[in-house]
Amino acid sequence: MCEMNLAAVLVMTGDRDATFDQLSKLVKLPFSLSHGDLKLDPVWDDIRGDPRFDRILAESASPLGD
C-alpha cells in the first residue's frame, strides 16, 4: 500500500520518470494496482497522454506471469 501511495505522490508532484519507474514495478506485483485502477482513477490523469502510461496500462491488463 505504501508503494502505491508513493506512486500517487510522485505523479502529484510532477516527477514523471519516478512515477513510471514506480508504476512499472507495481503492475508486476499481485494484489497491487489493477488495470481498472490505472484506467479509471483520476490520480493518473496527468500522465494519461504519455506513451509510457499506455505501455504500463497494457501490461496491467495481462495476467501476471505472462
Side-chain angles (χ1 to χ4, degrees):
M1 190 61 153
C2 290
E3 298 288 329
M4 289 188 281
N5 290 336
L6 175 59
V9 169
L10 290 168
V11 76
M12 287 181 218
T13 59
D15 192 344
R16 286 180 168 236
D17 292 333
T19 300
F20 289 117
D21 288 343
Q22 190 68 22
L23 288 177
S24 65
K25 294 174 192 173
L26 286 171
V27 297
K28 295 174 184 164
L29 298 174
F31 308 110
S32 187
L33 284 174
S34 70
H35 181 76
D37 292 332
L38 290 170
K39 192 169 184 172
L40 301 174
D41 193 334
V43 76
W44 311 118
D45 285 349
D46 289 343
I47 59 172
R48 287 195 200 285
D50 194 302
R52 295 176 288 181
F53 183 78
D54 294 334
R55 284 192 294 273
I56 290 170
L57 186 63
E59 185 177 349
S60 71
S62 300
L64 292 176
D66 283 357

